[in-house]
Amino acid sequence: MSDKFKFDGGKLQHRLIPPKAIEQLAAVMTYGTVKYSAHSWKNVSSERYLDALYRHLEARRLGHVLDEESGLPHLAHAAANLMFLLERDSGNGEMGKALTSFYEEAAEEIG
């Protein structure tokens, strides 16, 4: 199929997300499911995720690559915490408007 007849303007380009990052994030999510339960993250306050995010970032800043308890990268744990916060914020009306505006601008630029 010719690309000149495929109109992807304004569509998200999921292929830009690095697969190794997704794999590490999935490992953290799987670990969390075993330790707690699936989707239990929905019942935790945003403040606790912010605290955990900073703890994992600080551990990495100090040179600790892997979390001692899980054996998984601190940055993958940080990414999971950030993902939870992003998911919560996506329900925010202001966030929704910003994303809609982004999609519209991307559609114009990408074509």
Side-chain angles (χ1 to χ4, degrees), residues 72-97:
L72 298 169
H74 279 292
L75 291 180
H77 281 282
N81 286 294
L82 190 56
M83 180 182 68
F84 299 147
L85 293 166
L86 280 168
E87 182 68 18
R88 292 242 171 101
D89 282 356
S90 69
N92 178 326
E94 184 178 343
M95 174 80 80
K97 289 177 190 174

Side-chain angles (χ1 to χ4, degrees), residues 1-8:
M1 179 194 304
S2 172
D3 282 343
K4 65 182 176 179
F5 296 108
K6 179 85 172 110
F7 300 103
D8 289 334

